Structure formats: structure tokens, C-alpha cells
């Protein structure tokens, strides 16, 4: 049976790649990459020489059938994205689903993704949480905030630094004032920071100190109403 390995790659610090991921990248016949230049640098760092095939959001619908045939004819292929786990706010889902439909075995390796360090490092409840990825920029954004306002679990969002102020302003508008927010920035990189506070406190901070780099927003779970003496 042919195999597709889903291989997570570092989200910053190049040491954050597992020994198994490196072995698989060395063993497969070819690697499907979101950006062949970015993956080329990673492979060079680890002295791996392997054919790279471009597989990004702009060509995935067109190329998926051809790639499935290539995987079937191979002794195994790997898919990587620029950073983190493929298919998590990155290309990969369509190919994985099509491979399953075509009896190609999917072997998804555990590894880096910005979600887990952000929720765990936030210090907010991580027994259960929701991951929303990037919110829509325009259409459907308001509806999404209204839905998230009702959500009882912690919420993890991806956001770009130039939309952080907009997102914090919306959190202030749609969620309770006392809700704790954590902005996890540049996880695993030199300038990694975790800023925690209410939306008002974080708005004041980030208006003074415009953020740079990559960002995850974590919103603490909705507090359960306190029991009265009579309950
Ligand atoms: N596939 C990736 C994953 O598994 O995390 C996510 C890719 S998505 C295109 C990129 C977004 O992930 C960024 O805009 C940011 O929200 C988040 N992200 C990725 N790396 C990060 C880092 N080192 N620190 C903080 N956020 C990060």
C-alpha cells in the first residue's frame, strides 16, 4: 500500500523537529512542499537532499489527481507546509482526503503546531478548547464573533500582527470585559512573548507597542455563573 507521511516542521526554532520526521524526510521518494524555497532551506540545514514538488493552495485542486498517481507509483511521499503541521490553516486537507479515498495510507507524524504551545502557555483552561484558525476578514466575521461570544470553552485564534488591534477591539465589543486574553507572539523564536490581560489592557499595550511577527490569540473560557447561597 502506498503511503503519504504528513510531516510537521518547526514554527520558528529549527531544533523543533523530531528525529522521526528527519528520518522520514530522508527515506521518502519525494516531498510535497507549500513553498519549495522555504522547505529547501530546512532540508539544507539538515543535510537532506530530496526532490521537492510544489503543492500549495493555488494549485491543489488542479494537481491533486496527478499527485495521487505519483504517490501510488512511489515508495512513499511526504507533505510539509512552510511551518507547523500541514492542513492546519495550511494546504494539505484536500490531498489527505483524496489519498484516503484512493487507499493511500496516511501516516501523520506528531510535531509542531502553534496551537498547543499557545493554549498551554496561556495558562487558561486547556481541558477542552476550540480552534477557529483565522477569522474571515469581512463577510461572516460579525456572525463568528457572536457565535464565539456564546462559546464556553477557551478559544484559540490565528491572527496577523496588523489585524491584532482590530481583533482585540472586537473582543472588547462582543465578549465580557473581565475575559482574560493571551497574545502569544513569536513562539519558539528569539522574541517570544506571552502578554496576558483583559482586552482593554492589551489594547492599551499593543497600541503603544505595535506587534510584529506571528501571533496566536487565546481567549479564556467563559466563567461559570457563581452559585448563590440558595442553590
Ligand atoms: N500550520 C501552522 C500550524 O500548525 O500552526 C499554521 C500556519 S498559518 C498559515 C500561520 C499562522 O500560525 C500565523 O499567522 C500565526 O497565527 C500562527 N503561527 C505560526 N507560527 C507561529 C509562531 N512561531 N508564533 C506564533 N504564532 C504562530
Amino acid at each position: 500500500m502506498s503511503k503519504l507521511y504528513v510531516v510537521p516542521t518547526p514554527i520558528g526554532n529549527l531544533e523543533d523537529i523530531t528525529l522521526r520526521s528527519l528520518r522520514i524526510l530522508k527515506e521518502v521518494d519525494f516531498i510535497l512542499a507549500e513553498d519549495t524555497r522555504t522547505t529547501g532551506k530546512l532540508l539544507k540545514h539538515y543535510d537532506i537532499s530530496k526532490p521537492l514538488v510544489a503543492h500549495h493552495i493555488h494549485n491543489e485542486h488542479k494537481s491533486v489527481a496527478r499527485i495521487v498517481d505519483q504517490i501510488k507509483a512511489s515508495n512513499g511521499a511526504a507533505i510539509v507546509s512552510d511551518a507547523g503541521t500541514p492542513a492546519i490553516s495550511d494546504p494539505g486537507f484536500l490531498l489527505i482526503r483524496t489519498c484516503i479515498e484512493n487507499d493511500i495510507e496516511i501516516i501523520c507524524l506528531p510535531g509542531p503546531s502553534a496551537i498547543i504551545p499557545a493554549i498551554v502557555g496561556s495558562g487558561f483552561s486547556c481541558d477542552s478548547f476550540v480552534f477557529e484558525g483565522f477569522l474571515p476578514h469581512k463577510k461572516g466575521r460579525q456572525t463568528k464573533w457572536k457565535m464565539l461570544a456564546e462559546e464556553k470553552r477557551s478559544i484559540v485564534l490565528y491572527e496577523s500582527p496588523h489585524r491584532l488591534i482590530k481583533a482585540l477591539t472586537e473582543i472588547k465589543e462582543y465578549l465580557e470585559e473581565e475575559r482574560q486574553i493571551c497574545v502569544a507572539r513569536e513562539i519558539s523564536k528569539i522574541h517570544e512573548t506571552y502578554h496576558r490581560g483583559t482586552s482593554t489592557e492589551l489594547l492599551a499595550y499593543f497600541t503603544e507597542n505595535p506587534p510584529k511577527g506571528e501571533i496566536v490569540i487565546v481567549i479564556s473560557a467563559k466563567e461559570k455563573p457563581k452559585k448563590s447561597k440558595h442553590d
Side-chain angles (χ1 to χ4, degrees):
M1 196 183 194
S2 335
K3 288 182 177 137
L4 174 68
Y5 293 90
V6 181
V7 180
T9 54
I11 58 167
N13 190 321
L14 287 183
E15 291 176 6
D16 293 334
I17 186 159
T18 69
L19 296 174
R20 186 176 172 220
S21 294
L22 291 174
R23 177 175 61 76
I24 295 297
L25 292 177
K26 282 181 196 155
E27 285 177 3
V28 290
D29 283 0
F30 63 94
I31 301 169
L32 296 155
E34 183 183 6
D35 183 331
T36 51
R37 281 166 308 175
T38 306
T39 302
K41 283 182 203 153
L42 179 76
L43 296 189
K44 190 159 182 262
H45 182 84
Y46 284 104
D47 215 7
I48 299 171
S49 169
K50 207 46 74 175
L52 291 172
V53 177
H55 178 263
H56 42 74
I57 218 110
H58 309 292
N59 75 352
E60 65 177 349
H61 282 272
K62 254 193 181 166
S63 60
V64 71
R66 174 180 47 84
I67 289 174
V68 163
D69 287 344
Q70 284 177 320
I71 299 171
K72 278 188 164 169
S74 77
N75 290 311
I79 178 170
V80 299
S81 62
D82 286 355
T85 300
I88 299 295
S89 299
D90 265 342
F93 162 71
L94 181 69
L95 179 66
I96 292 166
R97 191 181 61 182
T98 314
C99 283
I100 294 168
E101 287 163 2
N102 282 274
D103 290 330
I104 294 171
E105 189 180 353
I106 300 295
I107 300 166
C108 185
L109 275 55
S113 183
I115 305 167
I116 299 300
I119 179 74
V120 176
S122 71
F124 303 156
S125 166
C126 46
D127 288 348
S128 68
F129 62 89
V130 285
F131 171 62
E132 278 290 336
F134 291 99
L135 294 185
H137 291 181
K138 289 195 176 95
K139 200 166 174 279
R141 193 172 170 101
Q142 203 184 14
T143 316
K144 194 61 116 179
W145 277 121
K146 285 183 183 159
M147 195 191 88
L148 291 176
E150 296 306 313
E151 175 56 58
K152 301 214 167 33
R153 296 164 289 181
S154 308
I155 301 164
V156 181
L157 302 172
Y158 284 169
E159 192 50 281
S160 80
H162 48 270
R163 270 191 295 272
L164 178 65
I165 294 292
K166 181 177 180 205
L168 290 172
T169 308
E170 288 165 335
I171 293 173
K172 191 173 156 68
E173 182 184 341
Y174 289 99
L175 276 60
E176 309 81 5
E177 172 57 35
E178 64 277 12
R179 214 48 113 78
Q180 286 294 305
I181 314 296
C182 174
V183 175
R185 204 179 62 85
E186 296 286 85
I187 297 165
S188 83
K189 302 185 198 178
I190 301 168
H191 298 293
E192 171 174 308
T193 51
Y194 282 74
H195 289 277
R196 303 173 186 84
T198 62
S199 52
T200 307
E201 288 164 348
L202 293 181
L203 266 172
Y205 177 81
F206 285 111
T207 304
E208 275 291 298
N209 306 276
K212 286 196 196 113
E214 298 195 277
I215 278 171
V216 183
I217 302 176
V218 188
I219 303 172
S220 63
K222 203 172 176 139
E223 291 257 317
K224 289 197 184 85
K226 292 205 172 63
K227 280 194 168 182
S228 86
K229 274 193 260 175
H230 310 292
D231 282 346

